[in-house]
């Protein structure tokens, strides 16, 4: 999905390298701010001191801000979406949560194992039976799959698309 962000940003800047680089810094900084705001929202029910500690740990962790804004690592896009998934799960919005998790995986697939947590997460009043779990999750799985197909279809070039990933793993 980062390829789409990159393409849009370069189109917006007319392909100019300096303006494009500045645009990336702005996008990454905005995602960093969004991450901090999301942490603040998620801890708002905690004691004030705990809120401060949470925001400081995320917001002032030097490696995070340096990796994101200074070095241009886009992991923050994945993390914002993964944290949004967690927030939406906690607030009882499972479909929106699965969409956020799908976006996270589409930015970087390192968050893909969280789909297992998404599948197994249940509210206290929900059944633990396998059939009920599958019935509950199937619509969300279909939406996640559809979003993935729609995202990959324009850039898919056959099975060679996955060759570099397979080479890395073995």
């Amino acid at each position: 999905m980062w390829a789409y962000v990159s393409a849009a940003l370069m189109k917006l800047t007319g392909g100019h390298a300096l303006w494009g680089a500045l645009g990336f810094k702005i996008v990454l900084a905005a995602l960093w701010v969004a991450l901090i705001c999301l942490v603040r929202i998620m801890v708002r029910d905690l004691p004030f001191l705990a809120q401060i500690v949470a925001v400081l740990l995320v917001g002032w962790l030097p490696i995070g801000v340096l990796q994101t804004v200074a070095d241009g690592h886009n992991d923050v896009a994945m993390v914002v979406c993964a944290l949004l998934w967690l927030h939406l799960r906690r607030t009882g919005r499972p479909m929106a949560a699965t969409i956020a998790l799908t976006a996270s995986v589409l930015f970087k697939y390192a968050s893909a194992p969280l789909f297992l947590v998404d599948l197994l997460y249940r509210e206290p009043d929900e059944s633990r039976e396998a059939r009920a779990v599958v019935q509950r999750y199937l619509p969300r799985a279909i939406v996640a799959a559809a979003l993935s197909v729609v995202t990959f279809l324009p850039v898919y070039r056959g099975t060679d698309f996955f060759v570099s990933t397979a080479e890395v793993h073995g």
Side-chain angles (χ1 to χ4, degrees):
M1 200 146 75
W2 190 253
Y4 293 115
V5 173
S6 300
L9 193 56
M10 292 312 291
K11 184 150 182 90
L12 184 67
T13 62
H16 192 277
L18 179 61
W19 290 115
L22 182 61
F24 280 112
K25 301 291 183 187
I26 291 168
V27 167
L28 292 168
L31 286 166
W32 186 254
V33 170
L35 177 67
I36 295 167
C37 291
L38 193 51
V39 167
R40 172 68 177 95
I41 289 167
M42 291 180 70
V43 299
R44 68 178 164 223
D45 295 334
L46 296 178
F48 187 67
L49 184 58
Q51 293 177 37
I52 291 172
V53 169
V55 170
L56 284 176
L57 280 174
V58 173
W60 291 103
L61 193 64
I63 190 73
V65 75
L66 286 174
Q67 288 279 313
T68 300
V69 181
D71 291 346
H73 287 272
N74 61 0
D75 295 15
V76 69
M78 173 194 67
V79 173
V80 166
C81 292
L83 203 56
L84 182 60
W85 161 75
L86 183 60
H87 172 64
L88 292 167
R89 284 304 306 182
R90 289 178 57 205
T91 57
R93 295 179 276 180
M95 180 61 81
T98 300
I99 291 169
L101 181 57
T102 303
S104 176
V105 172
L106 289 172
F107 274 115
K108 289 207 168 188
Y109 61 85
S111 57
L114 291 175
F115 272 113
L116 184 57
V117 176
D118 196 44
L119 169 70
L120 297 176
Y121 181 90
R122 67 175 187 80
E123 297 298 329
D125 61 334
E126 292 177 331
S127 171
R128 290 183 183 204
E129 292 180 26
R131 182 180 174 141
V133 170
V134 170
Q135 284 178 332
R136 211 172 34 245
Y137 199 74
L138 189 58
R140 298 190 337 250
I142 291 169
V143 168
L147 287 172
S148 298
V149 167
V150 166
T151 302
F152 275 109
L153 201 56
V155 295
Y156 184 71
R157 59 181 186 274
T159 55
D160 289 344
F161 187 86
F162 301 102
V163 169
S164 62
T165 303
E167 289 174 357
V168 170
H169 293 300

